[in-house]
Amino acid sequence: MRQEEALAWDKLAVFLLRPTVGLFVGRFQPLHRGHLEAIKDLMKKVDELVIVIGSSQYSHTLENPFTAGERVKMVRLALAETGIDAGRCYIIPVADVNVHNIWVAHVVAHTPRFDVVFTNEPLTRRLFIEAGFKVKPIKFHDRGRCSATNIRERMLKGKSWEALVPKSVAKFIKQINGAERLRELQV
Amino acid sequence: MRQEEALAWDKLAVFLLRPTVGLFVGRFQPLHRGHLEAIKDLMKKVDELVIVIGSSQYSHTLENPFTAGERVKMVRLALAETGIDAGRCYIIPVADVNVHNIWVAHVVAHTPRFDVVFTNEPLTRRLFIEAGFKVKPIKFHDRGRCSATNIRERMLKGKSWEALVPKSVAKFIKQINGAERLRELQV
Amino acid sequence: MRQEEALAWDKLAVFLLRPTVGLFVGRFQPLHRGHLEAIKDLMKKVDELVIVIGSSQYSHTLENPFTAGERVKMVRLALAETGIDAGRCYIIPVADVNVHNIWVAHVVAHTPRFDVVFTNEPLTRRLFIEAGFKVKPIKFHDRGRCSATNIRERMLKGKSWEALVPKSVAKFIKQINGAERLRELQV
Amino acid sequence: MRQEEALAWDKLAVFLLRPTVGLFVGRFQPLHRGHLEAIKDLMKKVDELVIVIGSSQYSHTLENPFTAGERVKMVRLALAETGIDAGRCYIIPVADVNVHNIWVAHVVAHTPRFDVVFTNEPLTRRLFIEAGFKVKPIKFHDRGRCSATNIRERMLKGKSWEALVPKSVAKFIKQINGAERLRELQV
Amino acid sequence: MRQEEALAWDKLAVFLLRPTVGLFVGRFQPLHRGHLEAIKDLMKKVDELVIVIGSSQYSHTLENPFTAGERVKMVRLALAETGIDAGRCYIIPVADVNVHNIWVAHVVAHTPRFDVVFTNEPLTRRLFIEAGFKVKPIKFHDRGRCSATNIRERMLKGKSWEALVPKSVAKFIKQINGAERLRELQV
Amino acid sequence: MRQEEALAWDKLAVFLLRPTVGLFVGRFQPLHRGHLEAIKDLMKKVDELVIVIGSSQYSHTLENPFTAGERVKMVRLALAETGIDAGRCYIIPVADVNVHNIWVAHVVAHTPRFDVVFTNEPLTRRLFIEAGFKVKPIKFHDRGRCSATNIRERMLKGKSWEALVPKSVAKFIKQINGAERLRELQV
């Protein structure tokens, strides 16, 4: 067998045997138990998961209080708390481009190859489908309480929010005085 | 002991016991053995390492042939090949802002907290020092041959380059026809 | 007559005989019968018409569902349906710059020379007047029903909208599943 | 005493004897009596004052009717009217970056060194404190009436607003037909 | 036949009968006889041609002396001079995004649907092929002399350049004092 | 005389009696004696001078070592050293927009009204003339030695440069270790 043929076989084998990779996009402001349950669920369906931290450029607003770096840390802490193998996940901040028709290309450029996109967000779904990707829905966990909007509102009002996020994430948010930051941003 | 005191002690303990985190910035166009030796060396000095993939927005040029996502993959492959615990590393693409005086703030916003910056690049060193960070040099490994510039030149000229990068990275670059891409970009 | 003089005469003649060019700015989300009636009316007043497709960078939102390319196509289809000579019109997408005081210069840079601006939009009117341009109002056609806002609302609610846009435009919007796209973008 | 020592002494002396510099950030849409009273008050507390004209890129909107250049002029006129030494003030337009975590670095890059920030705005306060700056509140003057929002509303409704701004500023706004511009921007 | 079926047939027919559309990208600094010959040649191969004026945001430099609007005019004049039907061509300025991996998505967003890309430029070719488009080469016409670089150099040196561009384009460049502008830009 | 007439007379008087304002654009990397002599000369010709600090966003490069804020300080120090009335000058940083055809509009938006532009730079001259402004040349002072390029080169080589800039500026550059910064930026 000549070298070229060997190379072609090698490429085919790589293609057939390559792992299934999923993409999961969230803003994680902050990461909550619903996000973590979804990630745990997806880890059963794919070999590797690319977790995109969307709107990465924003922080210090009522909608986006935490920096991309803080959110990277939250995801890592949650994975570790749950015992998910860090080597099977990528955690990648991706900035909004505010021009929807190039957003998918922008995500693709910042992430390792992926096979399937998991999202319930209508625009994300639409854009990936128009670009030819396979898109699947996510099973939500206790959606009424476990929403980042609800958690930020509870932080603003001084209500308890700790039980709605993984323990290590709650501890981290307290270390960086996250709830206090949110309250100070409110006029 | 009241709750406030407990909280203060908790924060102090967190501060004293927190892991040492290093920051390492590279463009990884492509990741080579010199990068990997440096990372292996740094992993002995710090508890966690934040690996920043700089100039993340660029790709498909002679200087920056690979996308941020492809470079994330290269770093991950190299870590796995060497047996470095993925859970102790962050791999984070960060775009150039082209305005040097805000670049450090931009990096800080995209990364988990870090204690020390490892770099030999004069501008990076200067900017982090002016911003009050501790900066240390990196021991280079076989710098004459193991430079990304040298590797890209060899790819362009059709010379062998595979031995200069980790095995898994060489395999990956072949899968995505990296050397071919580089040659096609040349007029 | 020397060559220089001839050149000067040539330039003067060009100036005196040059065609009157109008500028018409719209977002065309989507192009409707009111737009087309206005264009037909303006074509009687000027020799050439520069049709600027404003906010060209936006698409896939409830306010701006269609891409610049799709809107270029709509304008071209409407011109052809009405028998307007394509050679007398320019159809040019121009992005918003979000900094009003440079917007006129931005439009001027992207368009052939024009003599008069047709607009009813207060900000556009003000900015062109401050920059020294002649600005004239547009006669609106059936403004109550023929507004892009009204059409998008009807699309969202699943009501009929086809009669409010030129026939060829209605056909095109159906081909690209435009109304469906709009509904999917709605949460 | 050797030259090096002399240089070191020189630097120390410079440090000890250097003037106290304050930073004051406003949008000045338009500059009103409240701003001017605050500036007069601050001039008693610092040797030099850096007056930053924020959101400098915006103009010709209901929220930001005046250009940065027009606002520079307003500040200068108000200083002159009050007899404040122009040589003790810097008037510097600084654009919004819309990415809060790099905004402080952006301001620092555009201004001479300053020692203390004067602001009552929660986000500005929070961002400068997180970046390690000393922040102090401003005493407001007749806040109910002397707010730029109130003045713009009065301009829009055709009510009198002249008494709420310094005389020279009122005269300048009339020269540039400021109130008329605002009314034309309203649909 | 029910309405749904009719619609499906209608869509299929549209697909089968739809015109072949080509994409041609150039900077046209300035448009020369080589460009025009290529366009004439392509008009025989496709039903419609989308002519993209690349790097549209640049002007007043030695590399890019003419504005996008001036280049739109040149293309239109050349089409008219040759008798090409304006209704079969689109002339669309598209700005560089300086991030190659999103450039194809950016072009797609600004243009009507196209089936095949005509280019000899290595990067353009590579990017469209990676994005799954059909790419074909262009036959060049008198490439030694008919290059925009050569024409700009002749303009700078005060040599004759008029014969290298279509007559109407030469006349237009003289009207706007194009060669003079170029010489003034040279230090 | 009715109120309207009075207002019209007031506006006319303002127009006739208004001061002559000049515009002077420089990068001031760093400000040198040639700049200062030019400013002194211009102050005799105009009532007020708007000094624009161009390329304001850049710093920490070999071409642009100093921040906009540091350059504002240099201009102020030089004016004070020479006894020029700060109240007759505006010192305004203006960022490059890298799109030449909107640059003049960008400068106009950031500066108070001006009547005449002083520049020897070909592009600046051309752009202001095309926009309809009066442009006059500047008398250069000892141009061979007093150029910012020459000064930066001397700093890089460790040669003396102090005599080429005003005394207060030399002192300031030493305080911020300017020459050292430049040398560290060099690879």
Side-chain angles (χ1 to χ4, degrees), chain F residues 130-145:
Chain F
E130 284 197 8
F133 284 89
K134 187 158 64 175
V135 177
K136 292 186 177 176
I138 298 167
K139 254 188 285 176
F140 272 126
H141 165 85
D142 189 7
R143 203 181 181 180
R145 297 194 316 142

mmCIF file of all heavy atoms in Angstrom, chain F residues 130-145:
data_model
loop_
_atom_site.group_PDB
_atom_site.id
_atom_site.type_symbol
_atom_site.label_atom_id
_atom_site.label_comp_id
_atom_site.label_asym_id
_atom_site.label_seq_id
_atom_site.Cartn_x
_atom_site.Cartn_y
_atom_site.Cartn_z
ATOM 1 N N GLU F 130 -11.053 68.789 0.397
ATOM 2 C CA GLU F 130 -12.209 68.136 -0.244
ATOM 3 C C GLU F 130 -13.493 68.416 0.536
ATOM 4 O O GLU F 130 -14.583 68.430 -0.032
ATOM 5 C CB GLU F 130 -11.996 66.620 -0.345
ATOM 6 C CG GLU F 130 -11.018 66.225 -1.453
ATOM 7 C CD GLU F 130 -11.117 64.743 -1.829
ATOM 8 O OE1 GLU F 130 -12.032 64.044 -1.362
ATOM 9 O OE2 GLU F 130 -10.243 64.287 -2.584
ATOM 10 N N ALA F 131 -13.377 68.622 1.853
ATOM 11 C CA ALA F 131 -14.557 68.885 2.681
ATOM 12 C C ALA F 131 -14.889 70.368 2.733
ATOM 13 O O ALA F 131 -15.806 70.771 3.453
ATOM 14 C CB ALA F 131 -14.338 68.336 4.086
ATOM 15 N N GLY F 132 -14.126 71.201 1.994
ATOM 16 C CA GLY F 132 -14.470 72.611 1.876
ATOM 17 C C GLY F 132 -13.822 73.539 2.897
ATOM 18 O O GLY F 132 -14.245 74.685 3.034
ATOM 19 N N PHE F 133 -12.805 73.075 3.618
ATOM 20 C CA PHE F 133 -12.147 73.927 4.613
ATOM 21 C C PHE F 133 -10.972 74.701 4.015
ATOM 22 O O PHE F 133 -10.361 74.271 3.034
ATOM 23 C CB PHE F 133 -11.619 73.082 5.786
ATOM 24 C CG PHE F 133 -12.710 72.650 6.719
ATOM 25 C CD1 PHE F 133 -13.404 71.466 6.505
ATOM 26 C CD2 PHE F 133 -13.072 73.438 7.801
ATOM 27 C CE1 PHE F 133 -14.426 71.068 7.349
ATOM 28 C CE2 PHE F 133 -14.088 73.055 8.662
ATOM 29 C CZ PHE F 133 -14.770 71.864 8.433
ATOM 30 N N LYS F 134 -10.646 75.828 4.657
ATOM 31 C CA LYS F 134 -9.456 76.602 4.314
ATOM 32 C C LYS F 134 -8.262 75.946 4.999
ATOM 33 O O LYS F 134 -8.309 75.695 6.203
ATOM 34 C CB LYS F 134 -9.647 78.050 4.795
ATOM 35 C CG LYS F 134 -8.569 79.006 4.378
ATOM 36 C CD LYS F 134 -9.050 80.461 4.405
ATOM 37 C CE LYS F 134 -9.419 80.924 5.813
ATOM 38 N NZ LYS F 134 -9.767 82.351 5.870
ATOM 39 N N VAL F 135 -7.211 75.656 4.239
ATOM 40 C CA VAL F 135 -6.045 74.975 4.799
ATOM 41 C C VAL F 135 -4.802 75.809 4.531
ATOM 42 O O VAL F 135 -4.603 76.286 3.407
ATOM 43 C CB VAL F 135 -5.870 73.572 4.185
ATOM 44 C CG1 VAL F 135 -4.618 72.893 4.708
ATOM 45 C CG2 VAL F 135 -7.093 72.705 4.484
ATOM 46 N N LYS F 136 -3.978 76.021 5.555
ATOM 47 C CA LYS F 136 -2.744 76.779 5.386
ATOM 48 C C LYS F 136 -1.541 75.978 5.877
ATOM 49 O O LYS F 136 -1.668 75.175 6.809
ATOM 50 C CB LYS F 136 -2.833 78.095 6.167
ATOM 51 C CG LYS F 136 -3.851 79.073 5.597
ATOM 52 C CD LYS F 136 -3.774 80.401 6.315
ATOM 53 C CE LYS F 136 -4.739 81.404 5.715
ATOM 54 N NZ LYS F 136 -4.734 82.665 6.483
ATOM 55 N N PRO F 137 -0.369 76.246 5.281
ATOM 56 C CA PRO F 137 0.825 75.501 5.718
ATOM 57 C C PRO F 137 1.377 76.044 7.046
ATOM 58 O O PRO F 137 1.022 77.129 7.488
ATOM 59 C CB PRO F 137 1.821 75.734 4.580
ATOM 60 C CG PRO F 137 1.406 77.045 3.985
ATOM 61 C CD PRO F 137 -0.080 77.147 4.165
ATOM 62 N N ILE F 138 2.264 75.287 7.650
ATOM 63 C CA ILE F 138 2.921 75.654 8.907
ATOM 64 C C ILE F 138 4.395 75.920 8.615
ATOM 65 O O ILE F 138 5.010 75.197 7.831
ATOM 66 C CB ILE F 138 2.816 74.499 9.920
ATOM 67 C CG1 ILE F 138 1.349 74.231 10.244
ATOM 68 C CG2 ILE F 138 3.602 74.798 11.188
ATOM 69 C CD1 ILE F 138 1.140 72.925 10.976
ATOM 70 N N LYS F 139 4.953 76.958 9.261
ATOM 71 C CA LYS F 139 6.400 77.170 9.144
ATOM 72 C C LYS F 139 7.106 76.184 10.072
ATOM 73 O O LYS F 139 6.829 76.155 11.273
ATOM 74 C CB LYS F 139 6.769 78.598 9.558
ATOM 75 C CG LYS F 139 7.127 79.506 8.364
ATOM 76 C CD LYS F 139 7.661 80.839 8.840
ATOM 77 C CE LYS F 139 6.518 81.696 9.359
ATOM 78 N NZ LYS F 139 6.986 82.975 9.939
ATOM 79 N N PHE F 140 7.973 75.373 9.542
ATOM 80 C CA PHE F 140 8.677 74.416 10.397
ATOM 81 C C PHE F 140 9.898 75.043 11.041
ATOM 82 O O PHE F 140 10.517 75.946 10.481
ATOM 83 C CB PHE F 140 9.092 73.175 9.604
ATOM 84 C CG PHE F 140 8.029 72.121 9.578
ATOM 85 C CD1 PHE F 140 7.571 71.612 8.372
ATOM 86 C CD2 PHE F 140 7.475 71.642 10.751
ATOM 87 C CE1 PHE F 140 6.601 70.646 8.338
ATOM 88 C CE2 PHE F 140 6.505 70.669 10.726
ATOM 89 C CZ PHE F 140 6.063 70.165 9.518
ATOM 90 N N HIS F 141 10.262 74.552 12.207
ATOM 91 C CA HIS F 141 11.372 75.066 12.985
ATOM 92 C C HIS F 141 12.436 73.977 13.100
ATOM 93 O O HIS F 141 12.161 72.914 13.658
ATOM 94 C CB HIS F 141 10.849 75.473 14.371
ATOM 95 C CG HIS F 141 11.908 75.681 15.392
ATOM 96 N ND1 HIS F 141 12.580 76.888 15.540
ATOM 97 C CD2 HIS F 141 12.427 74.836 16.315
ATOM 98 C CE1 HIS F 141 13.464 76.761 16.523
ATOM 99 N NE2 HIS F 141 13.385 75.535 17.005
ATOM 100 N N ASP F 142 13.628 74.221 12.543
ATOM 101 C CA ASP F 142 14.755 73.289 12.693
ATOM 102 C C ASP F 142 14.308 71.855 12.414
ATOM 103 O O ASP F 142 14.484 70.954 13.234
ATOM 104 C CB ASP F 142 15.303 73.414 14.119
ATOM 105 C CG ASP F 142 16.621 72.648 14.282
ATOM 106 O OD1 ASP F 142 17.167 72.135 13.277
ATOM 107 O OD2 ASP F 142 17.094 72.564 15.427
ATOM 108 N N ARG F 143 13.698 71.660 11.219
ATOM 109 C CA ARG F 143 13.015 70.412 10.967
ATOM 110 C C ARG F 143 13.925 69.195 10.977
ATOM 111 O O ARG F 143 13.497 68.074 11.275
ATOM 112 C CB ARG F 143 12.312 70.499 9.611
ATOM 113 C CG ARG F 143 11.178 69.516 9.526
ATOM 114 C CD ARG F 143 10.485 69.584 8.187
ATOM 115 N NE ARG F 143 9.390 68.646 8.151
ATOM 116 C CZ ARG F 143 8.600 68.462 7.117
ATOM 117 N NH1 ARG F 143 8.782 69.182 6.037
ATOM 118 N NH2 ARG F 143 7.629 67.573 7.143
ATOM 119 N N GLY F 144 15.177 69.397 10.626
ATOM 120 C CA GLY F 144 16.101 68.257 10.567
ATOM 121 C C GLY F 144 16.186 67.531 11.905
ATOM 122 O O GLY F 144 16.007 66.320 11.981
ATOM 123 N N ARG F 145 16.394 68.315 12.979
ATOM 124 C CA ARG F 145 16.572 67.674 14.279
ATOM 125 C C ARG F 145 15.266 67.538 15.052
ATOM 126 O O ARG F 145 15.032 66.556 15.734
ATOM 127 C CB ARG F 145 17.575 68.483 15.107
ATOM 128 C CG ARG F 145 18.997 68.514 14.466
ATOM 129 C CD ARG F 145 19.998 69.016 15.479
ATOM 130 N NE ARG F 145 19.485 70.169 16.185
ATOM 131 C CZ ARG F 145 19.668 70.417 17.476
ATOM 132 N NH1 ARG F 145 20.381 69.580 18.213
ATOM 133 N NH2 ARG F 145 19.189 71.494 18.044
#
